[in-house]
Amino acid sequence: MGEGRLDFSRLVSFYERLEATTKRLEMRDILVELFRESEPGEAGKIAYLTLGELYPPHTGVELGMAEKLAIRALRLVSGVDEQRVEELLRKTGDLGLVAEQLLSSKKTQMTLSLEELTVEKVYGQLERIARFAGEGAMEMKVKTLSGLLAQASPKEAKYLIRLVTGKMRLGVADMTIIDALAAMSGGGKEEIERAYNLCSDIGLVASTVKSAGVEGASRIGMRFGIPVRPMLAERLTSAEEILGKLDGTGFAEYKYDGERMQIHKQNSHVLIFSRRQENITSQFPDVVEMCRRGLKAREAIAECEAVAYDPDTGDMLPFQELMHRRRKYDIEKAAQLYPVSLFFFDALYVDGQPLIDLPLLERRKMLESILEPSENFRLTEGIVVSDSENLDKFMLKAVEAGCEGVIVKDISPKSVYRAGARGWLWIKYKRSYVSKLTDTLDLVVVGAFYGKGKRSGKIGTLLMAAYDEDADVFKTVCKVGTGFKDEDLEHLTETLTPIALSRKPARVESIMEPDIWVRPEMVLEIVGDEITLSPIHTCGWGAIRQDAGLAVRFPRFTGRYREDKTPEDATTVKEIMEMYKSQLKVIASGEESEAA
Ligand code: ATP
């Protein structure tokens, strides 16, 4: 691996170009150029930095220095007082821009006399900043950052500040980086994507492609302690459609309403990863113990849904109850008060053997063979179904048992575990689709309006958007102001006001102008009565009718903050279009039976 040689100023010039476009193809081409210029050792670091990260998510080490501290470092190098910084920050809403402004007006041209910053050096210093802990850590963070800023040009300072405060957001998605790596190698997208899905480590993939090409990347496999990106389900609204899609037969399993966990076991060592590949082991000592005892393999990677239950009745409890387990203190006590049951549905790796390319039922057999079942530790309920009547019966049983519905899975020879993909090998069928829209949507907050009367000064209504996968943008679908408790509105005001933007974020498409814009980050669960055509929302614009998009009618917040979802995991524009179309079908069949 060669010595890093790319100047940070060069990287920044690429970032300026990336920031200036919202077109995915253009972004890809810029990234191709960037990766071409980098050494293998640098390529990984560049991949992380471009996504605003330092390491893959499972390491748990994040940038995200408090803005207050970054301001202190800025004041040290620019010599201006706090008031001035605050004032500029209020105006621009972006501390990066403030840094750029302050450093360009600085008289002393210290930077000229100093060595150029390189990507290697910047990355090394950012690692130090992220890792300082304990007594004196704040001081060290401020000192290290001001050291970097002192050597930086105004433009470099802009990105340094955005990086350390965790606000990089160039609008580049991980899949755009994958596309760029493939384009740079002249193909091999499938292999590169597969490698990424198996190791969920964009930096490792980038550096491997640079040093050993696509062939090298295709040797990346599953490893203990490295989470595999989860396979996800499509959705349909009737048993007939589902069986039609699966060539007549499928394996229907209860869809438990809990939290997905990917369990990694090696001897007595157990790790738990969330749906977003975070390491959540420390929050679930009880799950660790259950897996130590109940998974008989020496080495295994298996997936389950953890569901909270009422210890007095044994009944399954809704998802919200699990949120009590997301805490840092009194973990043992919480584990007793809010115990969980584990329902296993897949095995990806057992004792040296990767299973992901085997068909579903073979993986399940393997899973069964390593499971020592008990009341709260077992396989999901499931049956093979080939007719819609049985599927609907099974669905009712699932709902009766406290589940959200069922997931019907392909069992043909091609029914492999497709890491990181949402596809038709798994199809979810939730009870509420059966008639009208009482199903929930997971929507992204992109803007907010202040309340009136007793709510004035506080956020009262949110502008919500769905995710458009093709364009990688967020399109608005409703304004929601119902269902919030006072404490919700306080929480939203506190969280959203500091990150408010005066301009629309690049990845948001909206006709409405809210009082404040926010970057698409927070996902909330919303219910509504139905999907209607709308002249003011951009979701599905022009797809059903010219000059109209789609909106959720009578939206209400369910009380559920989907912290387990990234904005890209939100309900998609495509799904909302499907919902709209299936409503029409229900209406049409209702009309038919009325006519009869
Ligand atoms: P949702 O909000 O409906 O849970 P999602 O986007 O999190 O959707 P989907 O791919 O739509 O995920 O649905 C699969 C999810 O359902 C899994 O991530 C898992 O958490 C949960 N689940 C519950 N029971 C099962 C099961 N038997 N097989 C697979 N996944 C299951």
Side-chain angles (χ1 to χ4, degrees), residues 135-165:
E135 213 181 313
M138 307 278 184
E139 289 317 310
M140 291 307 291
K141 282 177 196 261
V142 171
K143 215 168 131 199
T144 313
L145 176 58
S146 55
L148 270 176
L149 289 171
Q151 290 183 57
S153 70
K155 283 218 183 322
E156 288 173 319
K158 173 168 85 178
Y159 290 101
L160 281 174
I161 289 286
R162 286 184 184 166
L163 274 166
V164 287
T165 54

Side-chain angles (χ1 to χ4, degrees), residues 19 33 87 117 174 205 225 300 359 361 380 403 437 483 502 523 587 593:
E19 217 187 317
E33 255 184 80
E87 190 188 318
L117 284 174
D174 46 4
V205 172
L361 293 181
T380 51
C403 292
L437 181 81
S502 50
V523 182
I587 295 169
S593 54

Side-chain angles (χ1 to χ4, degrees), residues 233 253-256 260 275 305 409 428 430 565:
E253 290 177 43
Y254 281 9
K255 184 175 193 302
Y256 299 88
R260 184 176 190 149
R275 185 183 183 286
E305 187 83 357
K409 300 181 180 175
K428 58 184 167 181
K430 292 204 212 171
K565 289 202 163 183

Side-chain angles (χ1 to χ4, degrees), residues 22-278:
T22 50
K23 296 204 185 85
R24 205 167 151 157
L25 273 184
E26 246 169 63
M27 285 185 173
R28 186 201 68 184
D29 293 342
I30 297 169
L31 289 170
V32 169
E33 255 184 80
L34 168 58
F35 282 120
R36 283 216 169 105
E37 282 188 28
S38 64
E39 300 282 341
E42 289 164 339
K45 294 172 180 144
I46 289 173
Y48 296 131
L49 294 179
T50 306
L51 295 180
E53 292 158 5
L54 266 189
Y55 304 108
H58 65 87
T59 58
V61 184
E62 281 177 22
L63 280 162
M65 183 171 173
E67 211 158 61
K68 276 206 321 278
L69 293 186
I71 292 179
R72 264 169 56 195
L74 252 181
R75 288 179 47 207
L76 275 178
V77 282
S78 65
V80 298
D81 61 21
E82 190 165 352
Q83 224 177 339
R84 174 82 182 124
V85 182
E86 298 279 352
E87 190 188 318
L88 286 173
L89 184 55
R90 237 177 321 200
K91 247 192 242 162
T92 57
D94 175 354
L95 195 58
L97 288 178
V98 174
E100 183 177 16
Q101 233 169 310
L102 287 177
L103 289 209
S104 11
S105 55
K106 202 171 60 152
K107 300 261 161 27
T108 41
Q109 287 288 314
M110 269 197 315
T111 44
L112 288 181
S113 60
L114 290 168
E115 236 181 282
E116 279 269 355
L117 284 174
T118 60
V119 172
E120 288 281 339
K121 161 129 203 234
V122 167
Y123 187 86
Q125 296 298 87
L126 292 176
E127 278 187 304
R128 293 184 63 214
I129 293 175
R131 286 185 184 271
F132 285 126
E135 213 181 313
M138 307 278 184
E139 289 317 310
M140 291 307 291
K141 282 177 196 261
V142 171
K143 215 168 131 199
T144 313
L145 176 58
S146 55
L148 270 176
L149 289 171
Q151 290 183 57
S153 70
K155 283 218 183 322
E156 288 173 319
K158 173 168 85 178
Y159 290 101
L160 281 174
I161 289 286
R162 286 184 184 166
L163 274 166
V164 287
T165 54
K167 302 212 165 115
M168 185 60 172
R169 300 178 194 111
L170 289 170
V172 173
D174 46 4
M175 285 306 152
T176 318
I177 295 189
I178 302 278
D179 283 345
L181 292 170
M184 177 185 73
S185 320
K189 174 158 182 221
E190 208 173 295
E191 290 86 345
I192 298 174
E193 197 173 331
R194 179 182 159 100
Y196 176 56
N197 286 331
L198 292 185
C199 72
S200 48
D201 185 339
I202 198 77
L204 174 68
V205 172
S207 59
T208 310
V209 171
K210 265 308 272 197
S211 62
V214 173
E215 213 260 318
S218 57
R219 283 196 301 267
I220 292 179
M222 280 181 284
R223 288 224 316 264
F224 172 78
I226 311 276
V228 176
R229 285 161 51 78
M231 172 163 183
L232 298 170
E234 283 288 351
R235 64 167 96 190
L236 280 176
T237 52
S238 78
E240 290 81 11
E241 276 178 301
I242 292 172
L243 289 171
K245 201 86 189 170
L246 296 175
D247 288 337
T249 306
F251 189 69
E253 290 177 43
Y254 281 9
K255 184 175 193 302
Y256 299 88
D257 188 16
E259 176 165 5
R260 184 176 190 149
M261 289 183 178
Q262 190 174 95
I263 310 286
H264 287 223
K265 176 172 184 277
Q266 192 174 55
N267 301 316
S268 62
H269 199 172
V270 172
L271 295 173
I272 311 168
F273 296 102
S274 71
R275 185 183 183 286
R276 297 174 71 164
Q277 294 93 52
E278 302 135 324

